[in-house]
Amino acid sequence: MPASPCVVPDTTSAPLTLGRQRSIHEVEARIKSHDWVNGQYRLIVLAAPDTVLDCRPGQFFHLLCPQTDRFQPYFRRPMSIYSYDREKGELAFLYKVAGAGTSAMAELETGDTLNIVGPIGQAFEIKPEWQRPLLLARGVGLATLAPLARECASLGRSLTVICSARSPELLMSTELFRHYGAEVITVTDAEGNSGVESLTGLIEGLIASRGIDAFFTCGSARLTRMLQDIGSRHGIGGQVALEQHMACGIGMCHACVWPFRRADGAVNLRVCREGPVFDLQEAM
Amino acid sequence: MPASPCVVPDTTSAPLTLGRQRSIHEVEARIKSHDWVNGQYRLIVLAAPDTVLDCRPGQFFHLLCPQTDRFQPYFRRPMSIYSYDREKGELAFLYKVAGAGTSAMAELETGDTLNIVGPIGQAFEIKPEWQRPLLLARGVGLATLAPLARECASLGRSLTVICSARSPELLMSTELFRHYGAEVITVTDAEGNSGVESLTGLIEGLIASRGIDAFFTCGSARLTRMLQDIGSRHGIGGQVALEQHMACGIGMCHACVWPFRRADGAVNLRVCREGPVFDLQEAM
Amino acid sequence: MADLSTRVGALTLKNPIMPASGTFSEELADVFDLDCLGAHVTKTITRERRSGNPVPRVCELNGAMLNSIGIPSKGAGWFVKNTIPFYADYDAPLVISISASTADDFARFAEEVSVPGVAAIEVNISCPNIEDHGKAFAMRPGSTEDVIRKIRSATDVPIWAKLSPNTGEVVEVAQASETAGADALVTANTMLAMAIDSRSGEIRLGNVMGGLSGPALKPITLRMTYQCAKAVAIPVIGCGGISTIDDVIEYLMAGARAVQVGTATFISPNTMPRLVGELDATLAARGLASVEALIGTARLSGETTTLAEYT
Amino acid sequence: MADLSTRVGALTLKNPIMPASGTFSEELADVFDLDCLGAHVTKTITRERRSGNPVPRVCELNGAMLNSIGIPSKGAGWFVKNTIPFYADYDAPLVISISASTADDFARFAEEVSVPGVAAIEVNISCPNIEDHGKAFAMRPGSTEDVIRKIRSATDVPIWAKLSPNTGEVVEVAQASETAGADALVTANTMLAMAIDSRSGEIRLGNVMGGLSGPALKPITLRMTYQCAKAVAIPVIGCGGISTIDDVIEYLMAGARAVQVGTATFISPNTMPRLVGELDATLAARGLASVEALIGTARLSGETTTLAEYT
Ligand SMILES: Cc1cc2nc3c(=O)[nH]c(=O)nc-3n(C[C@H](O)[C@H](O)[C@H](O)COP(=O)(O)OP(=O)(O)OC[C@H]3O[C@@H](n4cnc5c(N)ncnc54)[C@H](O)[C@@H]3O)c2cc1C
Ligand SMILES: Cc1cc2nc3c(=O)[nH]c(=O)nc-3n(C[C@H](O)[C@H](O)[C@H](O)COP(=O)(O)OP(=O)(O)OC[C@H]3O[C@@H](n4cnc5c(N)ncnc54)[C@H](O)[C@@H]3O)c2cc1C
Ligand SMILES: Cc1cc2nc3c(=O)[nH]c(=O)nc-3n(C[C@H](O)[C@H](O)[C@H](O)COP(=O)(O)O)c2cc1C
Ligand SMILES: Cc1cc2nc3c(=O)[nH]c(=O)nc-3n(C[C@H](O)[C@H](O)[C@H](O)COP(=O)(O)O)c2cc1C
Ligand code: FES
Ligand code: FES
C-alpha cells in the first residue's frame, strides 16, 4: 500500500489532501515590535497571516516560548488576543513577565519569530439584551477584555470599564478603553479602593446610575465571585474568561478542566475548548 | 555543629580552608581568538590564569561546550593542549568540528568565555636515551604532538615529524614543526603514500638514514599498531597518546579504560588518569 | 517515494506514525487532516462516567512533563455513540483504549466496545495514576496474563497490551501478554514521578504523583521496546518521548513496527504529520525502499574494545 | 551562618551534601578540599577483582547520561589497604559501597570491610548492570529483606540500603530494608535505559543497556524519595539528577535528610562545594536557621480546585 504523505499545514504551501475544515493553525510569526508597557508587562505585536486572523474577542493563542540560556520552558503558554487587525496583518498580546516561559519570551527581539497556535476557544458573546455591559478587569485580565471593549463599541453598546491593579503604575490601556467610548474607572490596592466591599458599593451604584445589564470579567477569582453575588441579587447575567494550567491547549489532554454548575449537576469543562469564556454564574 | 562552608576553588578568591594540594582547576577562560585553520579544524586561543598554565606536553583539558539552539552537548569534551604560554597567559586548542560538542564550541566568539578543567593526565616523557625521536601524527593527533615537538626542540633533540592526513588541504602545523627545527614529511590518502605499507618503508628508511631511536604517535590505531611492529623489530621504544570516550575526565568514573599488556597479565587503565600518554608497546 | 506502510499483526498501517492514548482527540482535526496518520488511538475510557484527578493535573519539567489527568470518562455509551462514529469518516484504523478495575470488568467492557469501526482495542493495563499509586495489572506477569486472557475470550478484535515502565518485570509481562493472546504490545506508558516547587514547597500536581512523559522518558521506553521486541514474536509499538525523526528511527531500529507520539503533539500540534514527511525523506536520503528495512536493525558496534579481564 | 548539619541515624554530617557512589574518588582531591563535604562515598567494590563492562561504557543524552561501567574492582584487599587509609586524613565520615552476588557473600564481605575508618556501609543491592540485565536484590522485598538481614547480623557498622528505581515495589522494598535492620535508605540508583545511534544503528553502550542518570532521572528518584520518607522511619538520602540548589531543596522538602550528587560532578567537578555554599546562602535568604527546617516540608497546594464528580 503506497503511503499518502502528510501535508504539514501552514508550514508548506502544498494543498490539503482532503478538504476537511481546519480552524486552528500553527504558524511562525515575525515580531514587528516588542515593548515594555510598564515594569511588568510587555506588548508584543506580530506580523500574522490571514489564516490566524479570523479571531474573536476572548479567544487565545498558544505560544511556543523560546529556549534561552537562562530559561527552558517546555509547554506552550496560553495568551489572550489583545488585538488583531486583518488589514494590517497584525496580532498582539499583552503579557506579564512572570516565570520561565514569559521571561524567555521577553528576550525576543523585533525581527525574531514566534511560533503560535490559534486562534483557540470560545469567544465572548454579546447578547442582544446586553446593552450596557460592565467590564471588570483585574491585572492581566485587561488583555483579555480589550478586544471585547472594541467589539462592544462597534456594536454600539454603552460601555463601563473598571480596571483594577495593585498600584496606579500597573494600570494599563485605560486610554484604549476611553478611545472605545467607555466610561473608565480605575481602582488600585495602593489607593485602597479595590477591595470587594468598596467595589460592590461602586458597582451597585453603577447599576443604579448607568443601568448596567451585563458583567464581563477576567483575572480574579475573588472578583468573579463578587460579580456572581451582585449578578444573582440583581438578576444580571454575564460571562467570565477563566485561566487554568494547560498542556495541549486544544482540547486533547483534559489538563485544563474547571467545575461548572449545570441544571443536571456539576460538570468539568475544558477551559481551552469549552472556554476560556463561560457563563458567569456557572463557574464554580 | 557549625558547618564549615565549602570554598569553590578558582571561582572565588577566598583561600582554601585546608592546604592540600590541588593540581586540576575549573576556570572560566576568555576567548582571545577563534579561527578556522581549514575547512574542518579550528584553533581556539584562551586567556588563561597561571593556575592552569603549569602544563606539560601530552596533557589535556576537559572543556564545557556551550548549549546552543542547535546543539545541546551534555558531557565535557577532552582536548589536548595544542600550546600554552605562561608569559602571554595563553592556552590553545586545535580541534576538529565533528559532533554536537565541537559544533557548539565552534559557535563561540572572541570575548565569550569557555569553562575548562585541567591540566589533566600524564605527559609525554622524553627519556634521556631518546635523542632522535620520530613523531607520527595522523589527523588531530597533530594537536597533541605539537607541544611535544616544542619540548623536543628545547631539549635539543633531533626531530623528525611525519604528518598524515586525508588530503593535502587538511595538513596542518607543518610550518610550526619546521619552526621547531624538525624534518617534516607529509603523507596523504589523496596522494596514496599514507598507507601502512608505504609508511613502514618510509620509517625503516628514516631509521637507517636518521637514526630514529624513539616513536611518539597519536591519532590512529592502525599507525600505532604499525609503530609497535616496527619498534619491536628494531628495539625502538616510544609512547602513544590514546583517545577514549570520557565522562568525568579526572579518574572517578572508569569510563575511559583501555587494555594494556603488563608483565603480570593484561590490565585496564584509565586514559584520563594513567594516560592519555602510555608506553607504545603496552597499548593493546 | 518509499513504502511507509507497516504491518501490526493483521492490520496494515499506511505509515508507522500514530498518536499515543490521552494525547489525541477529535479536536486535532481542527489542525490537520487526521487521515495522514497510520492509525488513530483514543484516550482511555472506562465503562462508567468518572471525573479524573484534581487539578493541577500537569506540570512542565525540563524537556518533560508530568500528568495526573487520570481517566476522566464520559462512559461507554457516550463513547460508542459519539466518538467511534466521528472516526468512521477516516480511512486510518481506529484503536480504542480501555481500562477497568478488574479482569472481568475489562473483559465485559472489551466485548461491549467491540463494535464496527474498531480496528483494535488497546488495553491500558498500565495507567499509573488510578488506584493504589501506580500499581496496575501490568506490574506483574500473573495479573497481566489473567486480564489479557479474559479479554481475549471476550472479543475477536485485535488486542494491544499497553505496558508500564513501572515494573521490574517488563520482559515477563510482555511474554505473559503474548501467551495470553495479545496481538501487539505498546511500550510504554508514563513513568511514575513527582515534582516539588523549591520556592513554596508545594507539590506540583494535585494528585501528588503523576506520569513522566516527553523526551526524558525516551531512554527508558526505548530500552523496553528493545527488550520486548527481542522477547516476543508479536509486534511491538514504541512509545515514549518521541518528538524528532531520529527518535522514530531509533525505535524502529530497536524493533518497533510502529510508534506512538504523545507529549510532542502538545508542543507542536503538527508533530505527527511532520514526522510522516520526514520519515519519507529520511528513507529516500538513505536509499531505503521501505520502513521495513529499518525495523530491528540496531546492533552493537564492531569497534567495541575487548578489555582485560581485570582492572 | 545557618546550621547545615544533619543527622543520618547515628551519624552527624556537617552538611547534607555528599557524592554518589561511582561518581567520586580520591582523584577529586586534585580539584577541591574533600573535607567540605558532608560525607565521602566510595565506588562500589566487590570482594574479588573484576574488570567491569566493555567500552563504550558511557554515552551522553540530552540532559542525562547512560553508563554501563559495571563494577570494576581491585578487590577487597587492595581497597582496605589503599582506599580506606586515604580517607583517614579527612574529618568527613567515610561510607563505603559494596556489592556481592549472594546474600551470604554480601554478609561475609560486609564483615571483612567493617574496619576502623568506615562510618557506614552502603549496600548496592540495586546496580542494574550486573548479572541478568538489571535484576538485583532490590527488585523484590523478599530478597532485600534476606540480604539486609544477613548483613545486619554480620556487622555493627551502620547499613545504608541503596534502592533501585527499576522495581515496581519501591515502598515494599524500603519497608523490607527497614524491617531487616538498615539504618538508612539511599534513593536511588540509576534506571535501566538504552540509546541507539539513529544514523548508524549502533547501540551506544558496549553492554547494550545501561543506567540513566543526571537531570532526566530526577522526577523519578524524587518521587521514590518522597514515597520512602513517608513509608519508613529510618532516614532517607535522596539521589538522582541533582545539579542545582533547587534540586537539593526539593529532595529535602520531599523528606530526604541528606543528598548524594552524582553525574553533576562530571559536568562541573566543583558542583558539590558550590551546592554547600548555595545551601547556606539559600537558608539565609529564607531566614531559616537550619537544614532541618526544610526537611519533609513538601505539601499539596491549598489552591487545588475541587472538581465536579463527573466529566
Ligand atoms: C486562556 C488564557 C489566557 C491568558 N491570557 C493572558 C494574557 O493575555 N496575558 C498574560 O499575561 N497572561 C495571560 N494568561 C496567563 C498566562 O498564560 C500565564 O501567566 C503564563 O502561562 C505564565 O507562564 P510563565 O512562563 O510566566 O510562568 P511559569 O511559572 O513558568 O509557568 C509554569 C506553568 O504554569 C502555567 N501557568 C502559570 N500561570 C498560569 C495562569 N495564570 N494561567 C494558566 N497557566 C498558568 C504556565 O502556562 C506553565 O505551564 C492567560 C491564561 C489563559 C489560560
Ligand atoms: C585525551 C584526548 C585528547 C584529545 N585531543 C583532541 C584535540 O586536541 N583535538 C581534537 O580535535 N580532538 C581531540 N580529541 C578528540 C575529541 O575529544 C573528540 O573529537 C570530541 O570529544 C568529539 O566531540 P564532538 O562533540 O565533536 O562529537 P560527538 O559525537 O557529539 O561526541 C559524543 C561523545 O563521544 C565522545 N567522543 C567522540 N569522539 C571521541 C574521541 N575521538 N575521543 C574521545 N571521545 C570522543 C565525546 O567526547 C562525547 O562524549 C581528544 C580526545 C582525548 C580523549
Ligand atoms: C496528558 C496525558 C494523558 C495520557 N493519558 C493516557 C491514557 O489515557 N491512557 C494511556 O494508555 N496512556 C495515556 N498517556 C500516556 C501516553 O499515551 C504515552 O504512553 C506517554 O505519554 C509516553 O509517550 P510520550 O512521551 O510521547 O508522551 C497519557 C499521557 C499524557 C501526557
Ligand atoms: C558512571 C557512574 C557509575 C556509577 N557507579 C555506581 C556504583 O558503583 N554503585 C552505585 O551504587 N551506584 C553507582 N552509580 C549510580 C550513582 O551513584 C547514582 O545513584 C546515580 O547516578 C543517580 O544520581 P545522579 O543522577 O546524580 O548521577 C553510578 C553512576 C554513574 C553515572
Ligand atoms: S489544555 Fe489540553 S484539554 Fe485543555
Ligand atoms: S573519564 Fe572518568 S575515569 Fe576517565
Side-chain angles (χ1 to χ4, degrees), chain D residues 67-90:
Chain D
N67 90 81
S68 59
I69 304 286
I71 317 262
S73 174
K74 293 216 169 87
W78 197 94
F79 183 80
V80 171
K81 198 159 151 247
N82 296 277
T83 310
I84 294 180
F86 173 90
Y87 291 101
D89 280 0
Y90 295 91

Side-chain angles (χ1 to χ4, degrees), chain B residues 11 29 50 82 99 103 131-132 205:
Chain B
T11 54
D50 262 11
Y82 178 64
S103 299
Q131 288 294 330
R132 301 173 166 281

